[in-house]
Amino acid sequence: MRIHRTQSRLIQIAVLLAVLIFLSGVVKGSSWGGPANSSNGINETGSKKTLTNTKIVALGDSFTLGYPLGADKSWTATLADKLQVEVVNKGKVTQTGQDLLDRFDNDVLTEKPGRVIIFAGTGDALKNISLSDFQGYIKSLAEKSSANNIIPILALPVWYPGYEKTIESMREWERSYALSQNIMVLDFNASLFDSDKEYLTGLSTDGKYPNAKGYQVMGEYAATVLK
């Protein structure tokens, strides 16, 4: 009889422990759930991410502006049309990474975008800006974006006649940096140039800047990557 009572008590204790473990798991699970993460305009549910702020600012030089045609013919116009989102063109001629950094607050922060495309490098090469200075500008732009809950996207500099070697060094470093920081990269060279670093047929008139068709191709490429 004593043995039977002891066995019954052991069974009761085991059941109680099982209940306590189950309740502990429920409480812990509810604390893990929590509210969705709204940092950088992204809501997360499980493995899915939804961008809540779809506005994009394109910050760059002549290649962002759409020179010599203007912003309405630039790749940003095609990007906006393809994605059906607002894309603000903040491209200006003769810009370096330092110039983009200097006007970041006025041209990006005031727009309150969810993402910013940082397109620099060709102007730096033309103005003989050192690689180390260029690296500092890009890092500062990316870090400032993230600090303000804006997702940075780096557009690699495109080829320009006579400056390919300098631009190649910038591209290699920027790609490596983006990889280390888990930053998305746009490489327009892939859609504009052939293996000899010359514009594909019909995409440029002067061999320096894209024509209307070239900018359209850039926008279509960007839309494919960003969507």
Side-chain angles (χ1 to χ4, degrees):
M1 179 70 72
R2 184 177 301 173
I3 294 175
H4 178 71
R5 284 200 297 269
T6 301
Q7 289 175 338
S8 298
R9 187 167 299 175
L10 288 174
I11 292 173
Q12 291 173 348
I13 293 173
V15 171
L16 178 61
L17 288 174
V19 171
L20 290 175
I21 291 172
F22 172 79
L23 292 176
S24 175
V26 170
V27 171
K28 186 178 295 185
S30 64
S31 67
W32 287 343
N37 179 11
S38 60
S39 175
N40 290 335
I42 292 179
N43 282 343
E44 298 187 12
T45 304
S47 60
K48 295 182 179 180
K49 296 183 179 181
T50 302
L51 191 67
T52 58
N53 182 354
T54 60
K55 185 176 184 179
I56 300 172
V57 168
L59 182 69
D61 55 22
S62 304
F63 288 95
T64 296
L65 176 62
Y67 179 87
L69 304 175
D72 60 331
K73 297 292 185 181
S74 72
W75 59 270
T76 62
T78 300
L79 176 63
D81 180 63
K82 293 292 183 180
L83 295 186
Q84 290 297 293
V85 300
E86 182 179 4
V87 180
V88 182
N89 188 311
K90 292 294 184 178
K92 292 185 178 181
V93 297
T94 65
Q95 296 282 284
T96 65
Q98 177 67 70
D99 295 320
L100 303 191
L101 189 58
D102 288 344
R103 59 189 178 91
F104 186 90
D105 288 2
N106 287 333
D107 286 358
V108 179
L109 295 187
T110 57
E111 294 288 344
K112 296 180 172 59
R115 292 173 285 182
V116 58
I117 299 174
I118 301 165
F119 196 177
T122 305
D124 296 79
L126 269 60
K127 291 189 176 183
N128 297 313
I129 302 298
S130 70
L131 178 60
S132 60
D133 284 345
F134 171 74
Q135 293 170 348
Y137 302 147
I138 295 299
K139 287 181 179 179
S140 295
L141 286 162
E143 291 169 0
K144 194 165 187 177
S145 300
S146 297
N148 285 278
N149 290 326
I150 302 171
I151 300 172
I153 300 167
L154 299 181
L156 304 183
V158 298
W159 302 128
Y160 194 91
Y163 294 87
E164 290 87 352
K165 185 176 181 179
T166 300
I167 291 173
E168 178 62 29
S169 297
M170 293 176 170
R171 286 170 52 84
E172 289 180 355
W173 172 82
E174 193 167 358
R175 190 187 297 277
S176 176
Y177 171 72
L179 182 62
S180 70
Q181 301 300 312
N182 196 28
I183 297 175
M184 180 180 287
V185 166
L186 293 177
D187 185 2
F188 291 114
N189 276 0
S191 58
L192 289 176
F193 297 91
D194 61 21
S195 58
D196 294 323
K197 299 181 175 62
E198 295 183 356
Y199 277 96
L200 294 170
T201 303
L203 301 187
S204 177
T205 303
D206 60 5
K208 296 179 179 179
Y209 293 94
N211 55 21
K213 179 61 177 178
Y215 282 120
Q216 179 184 340
V217 167
M218 290 174 69
E220 291 171 348
Y221 161 78
T224 299
V225 175
L226 296 185
K227 73 179 180 180

